[in-house]
Amino acid sequence: MKRVTKSILVAIAITSVMVAFAGCSKKSAAGNSADKKTLTYSRSQGPYTVLFESGVKPILEAKGYTLKGYDYSELALADDAVNGGDVDFNVEQHTAYAQNYNKGNNGKLVPITPIPTVPASMFSSYYDSADAIKTLSKPKVAVPNDPANTARAYVLLQKIGWITLKDGVDLSTVTSEDIASNPYNIQFTEMKSLNIPQVQDDFDFVVITGAIIYNAGIDASTSLAKETVLPHLILQVVVREDNVNTQWAKDLVAAYHSKEFQKYLESTNYENGLFWIPEDYQFNYE
């Protein structure tokens, strides 16, 4: 009996050591070290992952980093991964989205630098100028139906003089109820953003946002109007708050602001001017 008891105690001790070791290994794999050289990030089927992997990743690799990307079908799941420490960062969201995620999920996400952003734009299968609306009696216009992008669409249409919005309205939360005047008698149809490119021929004009322009294979240079990208809609590199001051996060920011990345943007004129560069963006020439 004593031998059995002793054997059990030894087994428990060994198991405890193995669990402790596994825990340390998992923590190490998650990459909580401030000076680590292997970075993980979430990937999506859109222009921001492509821009990162083709223009920024090589700069980091030249500094000795190893980058590993993991695919996520939804941005919310990608944010869960960053927030939970499964990946280190992502490059797929603007400030407003990160803030909303934090509020709804007790999140700790922090944007650390703005990055080139695809603005919402207006397109037409039939007209080559926004002025064509003056010749139409009841023009049909499709806009996104999700709140953030609905607001972007109506703000864009106010910018080009098609509608006016009520005084003092919050431009980040505009809805059709905030339209004060519609002098061209536009018939608006709000629909899922992803579906708009597929039905573009059914409308006189359509407003298409960000990554959807890229994913639909639309030539950005054919747009008839582009939004003025408001601060809360500028895309960001996002990390968890406890990683903001790590060396790798600083190197990630520096890569986006490097002269090498600027040369990449200039040499490719990426996707016919698809990207808008934040006006106060600073490139480093050291």
Side-chain angles (χ1 to χ4, degrees):
M1 180 67 69
K2 289 183 179 180
R3 290 182 180 179
V4 174
T5 302
K6 184 177 181 180
S7 297
I8 293 173
L9 291 174
V10 170
I12 292 173
I14 292 173
T15 302
S16 298
V17 171
M18 292 176 65
V19 170
F21 179 78
C24 291
S25 298
K26 184 176 181 181
K27 184 176 182 180
S28 176
N32 291 325
S33 174
D35 58 354
K36 64 179 182 174
K37 285 295 186 177
T38 297
L39 305 180
T40 56
Y41 62 97
S42 66
R43 304 179 73 255
S44 74
Q45 295 182 347
Y48 303 109
T49 290
V50 173
L51 184 66
F52 170 76
E53 293 183 337
S54 57
V56 177
K57 183 180 177 182
I59 298 171
L60 291 169
E61 289 174 334
K63 289 181 174 291
Y65 287 98
T66 298
L67 283 299
K68 297 181 180 179
Y70 296 91
D71 294 325
Y72 290 87
S73 59
E74 297 179 11
L75 182 52
L77 296 177
D79 276 354
D80 287 343
V82 176
N83 196 52
D86 295 324
V87 299
D88 296 313
F89 66 92
N90 64 39
V91 297
E92 309 292 339
Q93 66 195 297
H94 47 58
T95 302
Y97 192 97
Q99 290 175 340
N100 287 334
Y101 176 86
N102 285 342
K103 290 178 182 178
N105 299 276
N106 192 28
K108 305 295 183 181
L109 304 184
V110 178
I112 57 175
T113 185
I115 64 176
T117 299
V118 181
S121 301
M122 186 176 70
F123 298 88
S124 175
S125 297
Y126 306 105
Y127 308 104
D128 58 9
S129 170
D131 289 338
I133 198 169
K134 299 175 183 177
T135 67
L136 305 176
S137 58
K138 291 183 179 180
K140 296 187 295 182
V141 177
V143 300
N145 67 357
D146 53 294
N149 289 324
T150 299
R152 296 173 74 176
Y154 289 134
V155 171
L156 167 58
L157 298 183
Q158 175 175 250
K159 174 186 176 181
I160 62 176
W162 284 13
I163 62 174
T164 57
L165 301 173
K166 296 176 181 178
D167 291 339
V169 65
D170 182 350
L171 297 183
S172 67
T173 61
V174 170
T175 71
S176 60
E177 298 299 318
D178 296 309
I179 298 175
S181 66
N182 180 8
Y184 297 108
N185 296 312
I186 299 171
Q187 295 179 316
F188 290 109
T189 298
E190 297 182 1
M191 64 173 59
K192 189 174 182 179
S193 296
L194 287 171
N195 294 337
I196 293 178
Q198 302 169 22
V199 297
Q200 180 174 324
D201 292 352
D202 295 335
F203 295 88
D204 296 301
F205 304 92
V206 297
V207 177
I208 305 176
T209 54
I212 294 173
I213 296 173
Y214 174 86
N215 290 336
I218 298 172
D219 183 348
S221 68
T222 64
S223 68
L224 305 183
K226 296 179 183 292
E227 72 173 334
T228 298
V229 182
L230 299 174
H232 66 282
L233 297 175
I234 299 175
L235 268 286
Q236 302 277 342
V237 176
V238 172
V239 302
R240 202 171 58 184
E241 66 178 9
D242 56 350
N243 287 324
V244 169
N245 294 315
T246 58
Q247 186 59 50
W248 62 261
K250 294 176 181 178
D251 288 342
L252 178 55
V253 171
Y256 269 102
H257 292 266
S258 67
K259 62 181 180 181
E260 291 85 1
F261 183 55
Q262 183 185 29
K263 289 179 180 178
Y264 167 80
L265 291 172
E266 292 174 347
S267 66
T268 59
N269 187 27
Y270 197 80
E271 295 293 330
N272 296 315
L274 178 71
F275 285 97
W276 168 83
I277 309 298
E279 294 176 359
D280 59 348
Y281 215 71
Q282 297 294 317
F283 287 107
N284 181 5
Y285 286 90
E286 295 181 0

